[in-house]
Amino acid sequence: MDANNFDFSCFKAYDIRGRVPEELNPELARAVGLAFAAEYRPGAVCIGRDMRLSSDSLAEALTAGFREGGVDVIDLGLCGTEEVYHAVFSQGFGGGVMITASHNPADWNGLKLVREKSIPLSGDSGLLDLKRRIKDGDLPKKGKTGAYLKQSFRQEYLDCLLCLADLKNLKPMTLVADAGNGCAWQVMQGLLPHLPDKVIGLNVEPDGTFPNGVPNPLLPERRESTSLAVLEHGAEFGIAWDGDFDRCFFYDRQGRFIESYYMIAILAEELLSSPARAGENEGAGEKILHDTRLIWNTREAVTRAGGIPVEAKTGHAFMKERLRAENALYGAEMSAHHYFRDFGYCDSGMLPWLLLRRIMGRTGKSLAEMVEDAMRKYPVSGEINREVKDPAAAMRRIRARYQKAAFDINFIDGLSMDMGSWRLNVRMSNTEPLLRLNVESRGDAELVREKTGEILSMMV
């Protein structure tokens, strides 16, 4: 194994991700397995994979690396990222790896790695140690080969979801669920017998060629088909996922895409007022994490429900680390990652829609009714991504333009500036060569449009 042949640019801020085979290939995946075995001595790990055409070969090589390092491998097969997380924290494995590139193009793939208890490896905690071992050739010599076993824990995972969702007294409704040719539909099939609903499935067959486009509902061009299906079938709401379904996105019965910003407040209030907390002053004193991109609606809702809002850095590894440190009840990002203390401090793309279904069953309110007031009070730009020649210079221009008017400036994650009646966050992507912009205001949609245009003119 010659480390000089590897392109280490695929080691990102919170996972390993890149084009196959130029940046990530089976030989590097095998090296990662060996390095993980040497660094953490996990005993046993589980490996899952998404539907990408390169996932099988990467899984085979990663498995070989772990086994050469003396580690037993449990092969979960085709699954979602959260199924790996659940298997690790529920079965007591020493680690786990999900092979996925989530919403990236078809020629990409990646490795999401966790230690025991599904503690994630990131650029700040573990990934660079693996990179160093591979570069230095500090890998285990051939000894006892680890065992290999194919096993599914899907039923245990489904039971966990249903227990946490605690669905009761639901009236039947029609839903649309767009799996994006990813892995979500096989889990939906396990949940549907427990619901009285009619669910219209879109793009349900896992297909790594992405015949209907890359599964990334954050892209406006990927929303129309789901929206139209909601209208066509008279659905109460629509759900869409990315490829490994650790993120979920919502559409109301009018077919409108609902920004994750507004969903965070709904779920936070539900969890803070959960019947399980009755008699404990409900959610008083419980912490709720949110990222820096859009904050006002979330902070208002959490405070109203008796919780404590805590601002945290974007990225699943960073959010989970902070969630554990704060023992927070729930955390979420604008990118539609939702994290739950009761789900091993991990993110789930299934729990959010199940919780929404629970709220609807209890209150009789539609999703449109739940978000209408917040959308009026806190209009947003939606996240806008731009490729720029010099991201750091663009951020300096933006700061210089508004710093005299700013009541607060912070750098928790990128650049956040609060001008009182409106605020902005602009940050560099950790996974793509992009600058990401979010703008919000206090009840002034025209001001959002005006300021968004101003800032975009500086993002060149």
Side-chain angles (χ1 to χ4, degrees):
M1 184 183 299
D2 186 354
N4 292 319
N5 294 330
F6 296 144
D7 184 343
F8 289 97
S9 66
C10 60
F11 281 73
K12 307 295 187 184
Y14 36 80
D15 60 14
I16 297 170
R17 195 180 302 200
R19 288 182 174 82
V20 179
E22 298 92 337
E23 297 167 332
L24 177 60
N25 52 55
E27 189 176 7
L28 180 55
R30 173 174 164 264
V32 169
L34 282 165
F36 193 112
E39 185 72 19
Y40 296 106
R41 302 185 183 279
V45 299
C46 61
I47 296 176
R49 59 188 180 276
D50 72 8
M51 63 291 144
R52 290 169 183 269
L53 302 183
S54 59
S55 290
D56 284 348
S57 61
L58 291 175
E60 184 178 344
L62 182 67
T63 296
F66 274 121
R67 295 184 68 199
E68 288 171 36
V71 176
D72 296 340
V73 173
I74 294 83
D75 183 353
L76 304 180
L78 190 72
C79 66
T81 295
E82 65 195 71
E83 292 187 77
V84 172
Y85 298 155
H86 176 265
V88 173
F89 71 70
S90 68
Q91 304 300 315
F93 296 133
V97 184
M98 177 65 183
I99 299 169
T100 181
S102 184
H103 60 280
N104 287 103
D107 61 338
W108 284 59
N109 216 325
L111 309 175
K112 291 182 180 178
L113 303 100
V114 297
R115 295 161 38 202
E116 75 285 354
K117 300 179 182 178
S118 289
I119 297 171
L121 272 65
S122 71
D124 291 342
S125 58
L127 276 184
L128 296 185
D129 295 323
L130 303 189
K131 180 178 175 181
R132 174 191 55 77
R133 279 187 176 274
I134 296 169
K135 279 188 167 183
D136 294 347
D138 186 14
L139 303 172
K141 307 302 179 187
K142 190 166 180 63
K144 181 182 177 181
T145 301
Y148 173 78
L149 175 67
K150 287 187 176 182
Q151 187 169 359
S152 171
F153 299 97
R154 178 160 293 153
Q155 189 57 55
E156 293 89 335
Y157 159 71
L158 293 170
D159 291 344
C160 176
L161 292 179
L162 292 165
C163 178
L164 293 175
D166 191 25
L167 302 173
K168 296 175 182 175
N169 304 317
L170 301 183
K171 294 181 180 179
M173 61 176 59
T174 299
L175 311 178
V176 164
D178 187 347
N181 297 113
C183 300
W185 189 250
Q186 55 191 359
V187 169
M188 284 294 290
Q189 288 178 303
L191 292 171
L192 292 182
H194 302 275
L195 295 163
D197 302 328
K198 177 183 178 182
V199 178
I200 310 298
L202 305 180
N203 306 317
V204 298
E205 291 298 326
D207 188 337
T209 67
F210 299 139
N212 298 291
V214 174
N216 183 11
L218 280 178
L219 301 175
E221 62 269 24
R222 291 294 298 118
R223 300 172 186 171
E224 184 179 12
S225 60
T226 316
S227 176
L228 290 175
V230 169
L231 294 172
E232 178 187 349
H233 296 282
E236 189 59 35
F237 68 93
I239 322 156
W241 294 273
D242 58 0
D244 60 333
F245 70 83
D246 60 352
R247 297 184 300 153
C248 67
F249 304 82
F250 293 92
Y251 300 75
D252 69 11
R253 61 186 176 193
Q254 300 166 30
R256 290 186 304 178
F257 178 83
I258 303 301
E259 295 288 345
S260 296
Y261 181 33
Y262 304 115
M263 298 306 306
I264 293 169
I266 291 169
L267 296 180
E269 287 190 283
E270 172 67 10
L271 292 166
L272 286 167
S273 61
S274 167
R277 289 180 227 303
E280 301 176 19
N281 197 21
E282 294 189 337
E286 290 278 20
K287 294 179 180 178
I288 303 293
L289 264 58
H290 61 87
D291 68 5
T292 63
R293 286 175 273 192
L294 299 167
I295 68 171
W296 285 337
N297 182 57
T298 303
R299 295 180 73 85
E300 178 184 298
V302 170
T303 302
R304 181 172 61 238
I308 301 171
V310 178
E311 202 166 347
K313 188 176 180 180
T314 300
H316 82 97
F318 306 131
M319 290 290 289
K320 290 170 187 171
E321 182 179 13
R322 187 72 182 276
L323 203 75
R324 288 177 183 274
E326 301 282 355
N327 194 33
L329 175 64
Y330 165 69
E333 303 177 57
M334 298 305 100
S335 55
H337 281 283
H338 298 268
Y339 307 89
F340 302 87
R341 182 173 67 199
D342 294 341
F343 190 67
Y345 298 94
C346 293
D347 40 338
S348 169
M350 289 292 164
L351 270 177
W353 78 264
L354 289 170
L355 290 172
L356 176 63
R357 189 66 186 87
R358 181 173 90 185
I359 298 168
M360 288 180 162
R362 188 182 71 255
T363 67
K365 287 185 176 181
S366 69
L367 176 56
E369 290 170 323
M370 291 181 209
V371 300
E372 207 63 58
D373 186 55
M375 291 174 68
R376 184 178 62 255
K377 288 174 67 177
Y378 298 107
V380 300
S381 63
E383 185 157 274
I384 301 168
N385 298 307
R386 285 285 174 87
E387 287 194 29
V388 297
K389 295 177 182 176
D390 188 340
M395 291 175 73
R396 287 194 296 270
R397 287 193 293 272
I398 294 166
R399 181 183 178 187
R401 175 73 175 268
Y402 301 112
Q403 62 184 358
K404 287 184 179 180
F407 291 93
D408 180 69
I409 301 174
N410 78 56
F411 304 95
I412 294 172
D413 193 5
L415 170 66
S416 295
M417 304 183 75
D418 184 340
M419 273 63 68
S421 60
W422 69 283
R423 68 180 293 280
L424 68 88
N425 173 266
V426 61
R427 55 184 287 274
M428 288 182 273
S429 168
N430 284 311
T431 57
E432 300 170 86
L434 299 171
L435 206 55
R436 305 192 190 278
L437 171 67
N438 282 276
V439 179
E440 64 180 321
S441 81
R442 298 188 188 276
D444 192 336
E446 182 55 39
L447 182 62
V448 170
R449 286 189 286 271
E450 175 192 333
K451 296 303 179 182
T452 299
E454 283 181 8
I455 297 165
L456 287 175
S457 70
M458 292 179 270
M459 290 170 54
V460 293

